[in-house]
Amino acid sequence: MDPARFTRVDETTWRIEPHGPMRVPAIIYADENLIRDMDDKVYEQAVNVAMLPGIVQASYAMPDAHWGYGFPIGGVAAFDPEHGGVVSAGGVGFDISCGVRTMLAGIKVADILPVQKMLADSLFRQIPAGVGSTGAITLDTVEMDAMLFGGARWAVERGWGDACDLDRIEERGTMAGAMPERVSERARERQRREMGTLGSGNHYLEVQAIAEIFDTAVAEAYGLAEDDVVVTIHCGSRGLGHQIGTEFLKEMVIAASASGIALPDRELACAPIHSDVGQSYLGAMRAAVNCALANREILGHFARRIFAHFFPGQNLSLLFDVSHNTCKVEPHMVGGKRRHLFVHRKGATRAFGPGHESLPARLRPVGQPVLIGGSMGTASYILVGEISAEQKAFSSACHGAGRAMSRHAALKQWSGRKVQDELAAQGILIRSPSTRGIAEEAPGAYKDVGAVVAAAEHAGLARRVARLRPLICIKG
Amino acid sequence: MSEAATAISGKARWEHFPHAADVGLRGFGETMAEAFEQAALALTAVVTTADVRPAVLVDIDCEAPDVELLFVEWLNAVIYEMAVRKMLFSRFAVTIDGTCLHGTLWGEPVDVARHAPACEPKGATYTALKVAKDESSMWSAACIVDV
């Protein structure tokens, strides 16, 4: 994008003044290089979101923003139900509650190296990943409802997790307000045999080393030290979320026109929060959030079992589990007033600063861990939410590196086998059922995650705590 | 991966077009139905370029308020069958009556070793959605699929 299209507020704040049917400005947080590399569609989509009824303050895009459907990926927008606010399936994304969890392994890199290959093979054999994989868990109707109500708490109660984890999961592991009765039979059918599966595409399980500490005090509070090993899982609500997204995208196209909402583009499909379709979507979407929380808890449990085999006496303890595709009701101060807003984060991570009321006691003094996935060959980051993020973007930050090139272009440029060999030579073991999938996810296909997190830090959204380098990556 | 694939009517073909995070599909044909069939082949090619045997038959029906929404419905119905049956499809026969569609799919269960599936389509979107006939009477049907 041409930076000249924006009003530059400061080094990392780029503003589009309201014009035409825009109700609020659009604001992108990024440095100049990231802005130049961003697709023009991000500009267009951030502007379109600013036109939606009931939007509050601004339509935001994070430093890793790229072209999505309707909302940009990396988009944040809050809506007030008392001012005609809407909820949008395209503002959440198909992979509802897709997110990241990081667990501390309690061991050092030197402990891993002698068994790295065996551990990689064992994780790959035992964590169901990729197209056609089936989990070991099959849900009947009663269990499906229990899972959709209970989320990670359900998984723990069934023995696929640890009660200590719940405090370290957003919403304490259970999203309130789920309405399993609003989840269609087709969505349930897609999920029946998918609990505890990783999925494919950019989803992964990584064993990582803490390569660099930026903030010693926060790192200490999080239990992170250089050369420590952590396990990070990135995945979401699997087929159930995809099906709910698909069905409500269609319903909302029809609902928007019935409610007289003029959409600048029909992919912005939305429904008033105070409407049957809006409420149905929220109920189904919250059930899908529970599905994602349960799924990551189960995968964490599987990883725990495998680690216990290699490192008896050690336990993977959860640092945090945070979603980056959600719509959540949150209190925010706007113009000096506390308002309950429906905050959409699509490819954006909640980033509560120190003292936030929703954080567990152990994390409250320092702030929420913000987990940022990079590409499989480069780095991931752990950030901490900043108080200033509240004013900047309803306490939100980036979620990952963001793709720099399409899968199509990546496939033309790299061979999966070669990528795998080159990474192995650097001490990074990749395991995947598909070499083509590896090529499509090649590190060079992603933006520089370092630049993304530096921009987020400069913009006052979240601050860097630690950089992680991959040791093992299981790709779906 | 090549841009074009198998020919059916002579004009029938498909292509992938680039999208930053996801993938664009476009089918071409002498009829709208043929363009829809070709787009479904493009969908399979997102997952695998390996041979998929047309061993098992699945029938699907869908409808929508207009032909563009019908195209998204069609792809989503195929994605649903792929996900639930854990199958891949390599032959498609579509008939369209107004905004109602009947499709027959032929395929086989995913064989991870042989198909080496690269990624999983999550759903078809309304982004870059277009169903149109050009000046030479060639139909095309396109949209972005979330993967």
Side-chain angles (χ1 to χ4, degrees):
Chain A
M1 289 193 294
D2 181 359
R5 297 180 75 188
F6 297 85
T7 306
R8 188 171 192 170
V9 179
D10 59 37
E11 211 175 319
T12 49
T13 309
W14 306 76
R15 189 179 158 100
I16 305 164
E17 300 303 333
H19 59 271
M22 285 173 76
R23 297 164 195 258
V24 292
I27 294 173
I28 303 182
Y29 295 108
D31 67 25
E32 188 169 338
N33 286 333
L34 290 167
I35 287 282
R36 282 187 192 284
D37 288 345
M38 259 179 215
D39 197 309
D40 283 319
K41 290 279 186 186
V42 175
Y43 183 103
E44 198 182 296
Q45 293 190 320
V47 164
N48 284 346
V49 171
M51 298 175 190
L52 293 176
I55 185 164
V56 177
Q57 211 160 277
S59 153
Y60 297 100
M62 300 292 112
D64 51 336
H66 49 278
W67 178 24
Y69 43 94
F71 285 49
I73 297 163
V76 175
F79 297 86
D80 188 337
E82 305 317 319
H83 291 85
V86 293
V87 59
S88 169
V92 171
F94 276 105
D95 198 357
I96 296 167
S97 201
C98 181
V100 183
R101 69 157 44 195
T102 294
M103 305 162 87
L104 315 181
I107 53 171
K108 292 286 185 186
V109 175
D111 301 319
I112 284 273
L113 295 179
V115 294
Q116 189 182 3
K117 192 173 170 305
M118 278 193 297
L119 179 61
D121 292 337
S122 189
L123 288 165
F124 181 53
R125 261 198 319 274
Q126 296 182 61
I127 304 278
V131 177
S133 63
T134 301
I137 301 163
T138 301
L139 301 183
D140 62 19
T141 308
V142 173
E143 279 302 284
M144 179 72 74
D145 278 344
M147 180 275 286
L148 294 173
F149 264 123
R153 186 173 294 279
W154 167 86
V156 169
E157 285 165 2
R158 297 298 182 275
W160 295 306
D162 188 328
C164 302
D165 295 342
L166 297 174
D167 215 26
R168 299 284 184 136
I169 302 175
E170 280 187 301
E171 326 300 337
R172 302 292 196 275
T174 303
M175 183 79 203
M179 294 191 271
E181 71 276 17
R182 303 298 169 97
V183 176
S184 71
E185 275 311 312
R186 285 167 81 85
R188 288 159 180 265
E189 189 56 35
R190 268 178 89 165
Q191 193 60 27
R192 226 163 55 81
R193 291 182 296 162
E194 297 222 336
M195 293 312 293
T197 63
L198 196 55
S200 68
N202 62 358
H203 293 161
Y204 59 77
L205 180 149
E206 273 192 1
V207 180
Q208 302 159 324
I210 309 286
E212 187 178 3
I213 299 280
F214 297 90
D215 186 320
T216 315
V218 178
E220 202 171 308
Y222 286 175
L224 305 171
E226 220 164 291
D227 276 337
D228 278 359
V229 172
V230 299
V231 177
T232 296
I233 295 169
H234 175 218
C235 75
S237 51
R238 309 290 301 111
L240 181 121
H242 309 164
Q243 188 66 25
I244 290 171
T246 297
E247 290 169 5
F248 278 95
L249 207 57
K250 180 186 169 194
E251 254 194 79
M252 285 181 175
V253 167
I254 298 161
S257 91
S259 321
I261 299 172
L263 296 175
D265 195 327
R266 66 174 160 188
E267 64 191 61
L268 275 165
C270 57
I273 293 162
H274 289 318
S275 70
D276 286 347
V277 175
Q279 289 299 311
S280 286
Y281 175 68
L282 286 165
M285 187 265 300
R286 288 165 180 156
V289 170
N290 281 331
C291 177
L293 298 182
N295 197 40
R296 286 197 291 273
E297 181 67 13
I298 295 169
L299 286 166
H301 174 71
F302 291 164
R304 224 170 234 153
R305 265 197 331 217
I306 297 163
F307 266 73
H309 172 76
F310 283 90
F311 307 101
Q314 294 297 335
N315 186 27
L316 295 180
S317 67
L318 183 59
L319 168 61
F320 206 61
D321 183 307
V322 62
S323 302
H324 48 233
N325 280 2
T326 58
C327 172
K328 289 188 173 171
V329 187
E330 296 169 1
H332 288 284
M333 295 298 287
V334 182
K337 278 192 190 157
R338 188 174 156 105
R339 290 161 70 177
H340 283 84
L341 304 178
F342 285 67
V343 183
H344 293 65
R345 295 187 183 88
K346 181 189 188 183
T349 313
R350 188 147 88 174
F352 286 146
H356 196 280
E357 58 193 302
S358 86
L359 294 176
R362 290 284 298 276
L363 296 174
R364 199 171 300 155
V366 282
Q368 180 211 306
V370 178
L371 309 173
I372 307 299
S375 72
M376 60 188 176
T378 57
S380 296
Y381 283 84
I382 295 172
L383 317 184
V384 58
E386 291 269 43
I387 289 175
S388 50
E390 170 61 16
Q391 279 302 309
K392 298 268 183 180
F394 300 112
S395 292
S396 309
C398 51
H399 84 306
R403 289 191 77 93
M405 71 170 70
S406 66
R407 292 175 178 280
H408 193 95
L411 204 53
K412 282 186 175 168
Q413 194 152 340
W414 291 289
S415 125
R417 173 66 59 194
K418 202 154 167 256
V419 168
Q420 196 168 7
D421 290 347
E422 282 170 5
L423 290 173
Q426 296 168 38
I428 305 167
L429 304 183
I430 309 293
R431 295 289 183 270
S432 168
S434 165
T435 53
R436 176 177 154 195
I438 294 173
E440 291 182 0
E441 291 288 322
Y446 281 84
K447 287 181 200 164
D448 174 8
V449 66
V452 168
V453 295
E457 178 170 310
H458 191 279
L461 302 173
R463 200 170 71 251
R464 285 170 293 184
V465 176
R467 178 171 61 85
L468 317 175
R469 70 181 166 86
L471 297 167
I472 295 170
C473 178
I474 310 298
K475 274 273 187 207
Chain B
M1 179 174 52
S2 66
E3 289 273 338
T6 49
I8 304 290
S9 70
K11 281 187 173 176
R13 66 186 177 88
W14 59 263
E15 64 182 18
H16 290 155
F17 59 93
H19 177 271
D22 298 312
V23 59
L25 312 180
R26 188 177 289 118
F28 298 91
E30 284 186 348
T31 62
M32 192 198 298
E34 193 172 57
F36 280 32
E37 292 166 1
Q38 289 294 312
L41 283 170
L43 181 64
T44 299
V46 170
V47 186
T48 186
T49 45
D51 201 29
V52 176
R53 295 167 193 151
V56 180
L57 178 154
V58 177
D59 276 314
I60 57 179
D61 289 286
C62 43
E63 59 177 304
D66 62 51
V67 292
E68 288 191 332
L69 295 181
L70 184 66
F71 177 59
V72 173
E73 280 298 290
W74 155 242
L75 292 180
N76 278 328
V78 177
I79 288 169
Y80 178 80
E81 298 300 336
M82 288 165 78
V84 168
R85 296 173 190 270
K86 302 203 181 297
M87 282 180 68
L88 290 165
F89 299 99
S90 55
R91 265 184 64 197
F92 302 90
V94 168
T95 52
I96 298 172
D97 180 7
T99 53
C100 294
L101 178 150
H102 177 77
T104 306
L105 290 51
W106 289 266
E108 64 171 326
V110 174
D111 178 334
V112 174
R114 188 157 49 83
H115 296 127
C119 67
E120 169 187 47
K122 294 174 185 164
T125 76
Y126 301 133
T127 304
L129 171 59
K130 197 172 178 191
V131 175
K133 186 159 75 164
D134 70 9
E135 58 281 2
S136 63
S137 293
M138 174 83 123
W139 281 91
S140 66
C143 76
I144 301 288
V145 169
D146 193 331
V147 295

